[in-house]
Amino acid sequence: MEQQKLNPTIVYVLAIIGLFCCCFAGLGFILAGIAFFIAYSKLNAAKLNPENYEPASVKAMDTAKTVALVILAINVLYFIYSIYQISTVGWDEMMRKSQEMMEQYQQNQ
């Protein structure tokens, strides 16, 4: 019987897009969480029937799961920090600082 391959491409794509979405108050945790869940479920299926899957593809999926977990942790921490900033400083103050930084950047160009 031919062994199946696990394709970690979708996990990597979702995790990397999730990393880019970290700039939006850490909302990339949604995509990184989905990527981690996909990798976790595929690895569990591979653990139940290890003879049906290629060992190299299982190792690649395990690496993709680790990448998704790291990006998930980064996003969750930044999301918590964003909520903390909004609750302590306030939304208006954050937007004012952001506007000042943008104006300063434009003046330096």
Side-chain angles (χ1 to χ4, degrees):
M1 185 170 145
E2 189 175 320
Q3 290 184 328
Q4 298 176 4
K5 291 183 180 181
L6 294 175
N7 190 359
T9 305
I10 189 70
V11 175
Y12 281 124
V13 169
L14 286 173
I16 297 302
I17 293 172
L19 182 63
F20 290 140
C21 291
C22 182
C23 300
F24 303 112
L27 292 177
F29 76 89
I30 298 168
L31 293 174
I34 293 170
F36 180 75
F37 178 74
I38 290 171
Y40 183 79
S41 63
K42 290 194 182 261
L43 284 172
N44 277 346
K47 286 180 184 176
L48 292 175
N49 297 316
E51 65 278 351
N52 292 344
Y53 295 93
E54 287 185 3
S57 69
V58 171
K59 186 172 179 167
M61 184 60 80
D62 192 44
T63 303
K65 181 181 116 178
T66 304
V67 169
L69 181 63
V70 168
I71 293 173
L72 178 64
I74 290 169
N75 275 291
V76 167
L77 289 174
Y78 194 72
F79 183 70
I80 292 169
Y81 174 73
S82 297
I83 290 174
Y84 173 75
Q85 282 291 99
I86 291 170
S87 66
T88 57
V89 176
W91 183 258
D92 293 333
E93 183 67 21
M94 284 180 58
M95 289 297 107
R96 188 186 63 74
K97 285 182 181 180
S98 175
Q99 184 68 26
E100 286 177 2
M101 287 191 308
M102 288 175 56
E103 289 171 359
Q104 191 176 38
Y105 174 75
Q106 288 175 351
Q107 288 175 357
N108 290 335
Q109 282 188 345

